[in-house]
Amino acid sequence: MKKRIAAITLALTFSVCAAAPLAVAASVGTAAPQTPAIAAPAATVAPAAATAAAPTAAKAAPAKGADTQPAKVTPNRGITIGMFALIIAITMGVVVWAAKKTQTAADFYTAGGGITGLQNGWAIAGDYMSAASFLGMSGLISLYGIDGFMYAVGPMFSFIAILLVIAEPCRNAGKYTLGDILSFRSSPKVVRGVAALSTVTVSIFYLIAQMVGAGKLMQMLIGIPYRVSVIGVGALMVAYVVFGGMKATTWVQIIKASLLMGATTLLCILVAAKAGFNPVSFFTDIVNNPAIQDHVRLNVLKDAIPKAGMDYGQRFLEPGLFLKSPLDQISLGIAWALGAAGLPHILMRFFTVPSAKEARKSIIIALFLNSSFFFMISIIGFGAALYLTPQGILAVDKGGNMATLLLAQHMGGGAGSLGGDVFLAFICAVAFATILAVVSGLVLAASAAIAHDVYVNIIKDGKADQHLQVKVARITSLFVGTSAILMGLAAEKENVVALVALAFAVAASGNFPVVMLSLFWKKFNTAGIVSGLVVGTVTALALVMVSPVMTYPKKVAADAKKIVDTLEKKQATGVALADKELKTLEKSRVEYEKNKDGSSMVGLDKPIFPLKNPGIVSVPLGFLAAVFGCLLFRDRRAEDMFAEIDVRQNTGLGIAKATDH
């Protein structure tokens, strides 16, 4: 009963917070203006970094026959809050149901191993379909074209590595966490401690991205202050994990993935229908769109005066607007392809199924669902660029994160129409459910690492009864959830895609090498695990901090000064500037004055590392560190125990049986 009361109280508290802006709006009458959307400040990281680095040009005139878009999201608050409340009610019902069935540590961490391959496949797909994917990737495509598409298609291939190499051995060799896999034939306490630290690090980056997305979403759409939004989402997230454990988290993921696939499919069909289901015509319209041409010229390439012979519309469909170097594209591909196999909350999912066969089945289902989803996200991103214009998207949010929501409203009939309001509210509710589900999985992974690896196996030396383990796990979940709320509040200015890409890079550089070598190399030992995790993780983090994804104010000022000099030179020749050029000149002067004396977060004037993603350097270093650490400190015991783990990972011998729920 206490669990029910706590869950219902949290739901009601959040609903009251959500209803507050509606009451305020009603008190000032129906003619009250909508709360304006808050654009991300200039101090954002990629993909907003490149956008912020360039002075925001004045809105280009829309293409002939194109639709004029409002410079803010204007949802119907009543419908939107109703949709949100329905999502909360359904998911809280799942939590209450799951809480009754969560009694043991196995129930809490892995749902007793009783999840089917079909269910687990949808849940894994749900883990991947994050707010960064749904909101950030479509926005990146709408602003950077093909380069954004690279971000969307990368995750499709990551599951191939998992399917062929990781899924079955991990399921057979582990129990609850990454530490269980790595500690079998090594010094368990040292390895569990380092593995827990790596798990928490990766989960934190992912968590921050989701919390920022939640806060911005609620702030822009319903008018709830960012801080209140983050706290409300965090409270619900904690309730899901603390009371429902893995079973509740899994079913929330399944519900959310089903809703998200339905919403994305419908929106993609509407975009295709508007283009007459003709892809050639669709992309031809993109190339010939004046607004897209102006965006590429002014905001991305920063050409104040058009270059002779440059087709700026065609340039939108060519690589190099965001990932300017081929090495950047390769590096991103490495991080995407290998990162998923090292994500702790993905690895945990292999322990929830009753057999290796079901683990493989779940990956095949997840691969199909994710491939379909990311393909449709690409169409939605290009559709947003064509039908909303990049300038209209930037006017709402400089990170592009609202592109999908704006497109949904537009395709439903536009702002103020019943169809537009209902479709926007539905997409908003789905995005909200997406955030809740993903953060729940991340909190569970981080709390499992701390509770199971650190407390139970390091502090208590594995001697803790089931009741104590569950109690500690729930307390840890509360602590991790609270930390996520605080970090979400501190990271308000960050863009969600960059944080997720960083999480993938860290997972690919630290976790993936040691998991692979631990499972398949006989000589691998404790020194190799610690070396690989530490070097891979630290290298990835360090390179990102000195890379172009960070904001460098002096570079922002230099780009602005270039535009100022070009336009002032044009004025000096006696040529009168057009209104759009005058606005660009004024904004560039402001950007220059604001940033000319600034420096990056670590005090740099310009990036030291040239690539946006460190995978091409940090992943090989992680592997090399693991190999050299192992060879320098040989461990005969680890070699002798390889035969046992080899048998376990191929047969599943010794794995606990699934429990009935």
Side-chain angles (χ1 to χ4, degrees), residues 431-501:
F432 180 65
T434 296
I435 293 167
L436 290 177
V438 172
V439 295
S440 299
L442 291 165
V443 168
L444 187 59
S447 63
I450 297 172
H452 177 68
D453 289 326
V454 177
Y455 181 80
V456 174
N457 286 285
I458 296 179
I459 297 176
K460 301 293 289 185
D461 201 23
K463 300 173 182 177
D465 59 38
Q466 293 292 318
H467 175 73
L468 178 60
Q469 289 188 50
V470 174
K471 181 180 179 180
V472 171
R474 285 175 167 155
I475 293 173
T476 306
S477 298
L478 180 61
F479 169 76
V480 173
T482 303
S483 301
I485 293 172
L486 296 176
M487 287 181 287
L489 295 175
E492 181 179 357
K493 298 178 180 179
E494 304 301 327
N495 181 273
V496 294
V497 170
L499 293 171
V500 171

Side-chain angles (χ1 to χ4, degrees), residues 301-318:
L301 299 180
K302 296 175 281 293
D303 293 337
I305 298 175
K307 290 183 179 178
M310 172 67 77
D311 187 342
Y312 291 99
Q314 180 64 34
R315 190 71 181 83
F316 191 72
L317 298 182
E318 296 173 354

Side-chain angles (χ1 to χ4, degrees), residues 180-221:
D180 286 328
I181 300 172
L182 300 178
S183 65
F184 184 80
R185 58 190 183 103
S186 61
S187 299
K189 290 191 175 183
V190 174
V191 168
R192 285 185 183 277
V194 178
L197 182 61
S198 175
T199 296
V200 172
T201 300
V202 174
S203 299
I204 286 302
F205 284 113
Y206 228 140
L207 263 175
I208 294 173
Q210 308 309 316
M211 299 303 286
V212 171
K216 292 290 182 66
L217 182 71
M218 302 294 285
Q219 181 186 53
M220 291 184 179
L221 299 177

Side-chain angles (χ1 to χ4, degrees), residues 15-28 35 77 81 218 222-225:
S15 298
V16 170
C17 291
L22 179 62
V24 173
S27 68
V28 296
T35 303
R77 286 190 173 89
I81 291 173
M218 302 294 285
I222 312 181
I224 299 177

